[in-house]
Amino acid sequence: MSAVDRSGDPSTGSSTAGASAGDANRFIGIDLGGTKIMGVVVDPRTGEIAARRKAPTPKDDPGRTATAIGDVVAELIEESGPPVAIGVGVPGLVDHHGVLHYGPNVPGVLGLDIAGDLRGRFGMPVVAENDANNAALAEHRLGAAKGHDHAVIITQGTGIGGALIIGGRLLRGANGFAGEPGHMLVDARGHVCACGNTGCWETVSSGAGLANISRELVAEGRAVRILELAGGDAALIRGEHVSAAMAEGDADAAEVLDRFAGWVAEGIGSLISLLDPGVVVLGGGLTVINQHFIADVRERVGATVVGGPYRPVVPIRAAQLGPEAGAIGAAINARDLFVGP
Ligand SMILES: [Zn+2]
């Protein structure tokens, strides 16, 4: 139990010369993922990271999630000194009070008041937010959406995370739950989603989507190499098997990617018709999403947007901040709330 004295012992801040200037920009950002907890000490104005920590998400004992996050925070404080505030990102629906209402990728944390828990343990300001919203804030302030007051940021991993910047601000909605484009229904006769619905955009446009589309081909007696790479069990096909088959020049893997790009473009086209953003940013850990793929999607999107030939082309760009975007964005969110944008 490392209770931290907010008054701060100056002797612990030995690494920071001119303590007040350094301390005023020291924030902690935490990103809770399905497999790991990532934490950074960062200056939210520049994205400059002073310290980083990782720990596994306690999957077998979800009750320990808050404690595990707190332990990462404690280590970062020990290394860099107390921050101005702490921001946390969690994968799920987070309300305006920072309470998690729905998080299918981190079972057992329903109703978790992670901000309240950390506030109690460390006695400093803490804010919790949806993880994709945090990543979007980071891309908006420091990355690929910088300079755009209207932006759509899509994160394609196992599922799809998303966030909308409208008028220079994150769109949070009436309850804090806005920005879940992955669960727009795009195919009524499609695949079952992790959320329980059928035909969500993420069932065809995420890592899970690559697997689902591969299984469509398997059902047609195709995608033999992908199936082989998955050990012969279609249920075990994952995005990386498609990537691996692609790298070998497998034609059916190319067909999977072609259908996938079509779905990605349709979803983005709908979002452009709805929101008229100045830029669309694609991020996430899928290796198939490279510059070539983005160029392909960009080419298809025009045909899916209302009045496509008669409006400016919306740039589609790769995210710039990498896997730490969520943690950096969590710190930006904390600074926005407790200091000001
Ligand atoms: Zn869904």
Side-chain angles (χ1 to χ4, degrees):
M1 290 285 102
S2 52
V4 173
D5 182 357
R6 275 198 77 192
S7 61
D9 176 354
S11 66
T12 61
S14 56
S15 62
T16 317
S20 62
D23 293 354
N25 301 313
R26 183 194 299 141
F27 288 74
I28 287 180
I30 300 284
D31 192 34
L32 170 65
T35 56
K36 61 180 180 291
I37 299 163
M38 196 183 288
V40 296
V41 174
V42 63
D43 180 343
R45 301 163 315 156
T46 62
E48 197 180 317
I49 293 173
R52 28 169 79 81
R53 281 284 184 286
K54 261 186 214 171
T57 302
K59 260 198 154 53
D60 43 344
D61 183 7
R64 282 204 64 253
T65 303
T67 311
I69 291 174
D71 291 347
V72 169
V73 170
E75 284 177 29
L76 289 168
I77 291 176
E78 198 174 309
E79 181 173 341
S80 300
V84 176
I86 301 166
V88 186
V90 291
L93 300 181
V94 183
D95 71 17
H96 292 306
H97 305 287
V99 177
L100 186 62
H101 284 251
Y102 177 68
N105 295 318
V106 274
V109 294
L110 215 63
L112 180 72
D113 178 11
I114 184 65
D117 192 275
L118 292 175
R119 216 176 285 127
R121 179 165 169 186
F122 296 101
M124 40 181 80
V126 184
V127 59
E129 178 58 85
N130 170 270
D131 57 349
N133 282 358
N134 283 337
L137 269 179
E139 290 295 338
H140 178 241
R141 300 293 172 78
L142 303 166
K146 195 175 173 181
H148 288 276
D149 280 347
H150 304 277
V152 170
I153 291 104
I154 307 288
T155 312
Q156 291 166 286
T158 309
I160 288 184
L164 314 168
I165 302 284
I166 307 290
R169 300 171 67 99
L170 196 58
L171 183 76
R172 290 193 163 90
N175 300 293
F177 303 160
E180 294 289 342
H183 302 283
M184 299 187 298
L185 300 175
V186 298
D187 184 6
R189 287 176 296 280
H191 303 274
V192 176
C193 183
C195 77
N197 281 342
T198 297
C200 292
W201 188 37
E202 78 169 36
T203 66
V204 282
S205 296
S206 64
L210 285 169
N212 283 332
I213 295 169
S214 298
R215 283 189 278 270
E216 290 173 7
L217 266 73
V218 169
E220 297 164 15
R222 299 170 60 191
V224 175
R225 181 57 185 148
I226 294 173
L227 187 61
E228 211 172 79
L229 288 165
D233 183 350
L236 298 181
I237 295 175
R238 290 192 311 273
E240 57 251 46
H241 301 130
V242 180
S243 311
M246 269 298 281
E248 295 172 3
D250 181 64
D252 284 345
E255 166 75 16
V256 170
L257 208 65
D258 185 66
R259 293 189 193 181
F260 179 76
W263 283 115
V264 173
E266 280 191 24
I268 290 175
S270 294
L271 289 166
I272 291 175
S273 294
L274 184 68
L275 298 163
D276 186 26
V279 66
V280 174
V281 175
L282 296 185
L286 294 187
T287 47
V288 297
I289 298 179
N290 51 28
Q291 290 300 344
H292 178 263
F293 176 82
I294 288 176
D296 183 17
V297 168
R298 199 183 289 133
E299 215 160 275
R300 298 173 189 233
V301 160
T304 71
V305 178
V306 60
Y310 306 99
R311 57 193 291 165
V313 171
V314 179
I316 300 173
R317 292 186 190 150
Q320 288 176 356
L321 295 181
E324 284 166 335
I328 295 169
I332 293 174
N333 188 40
R335 185 177 187 276
D336 280 4
L337 186 68
F338 299 115
V339 178

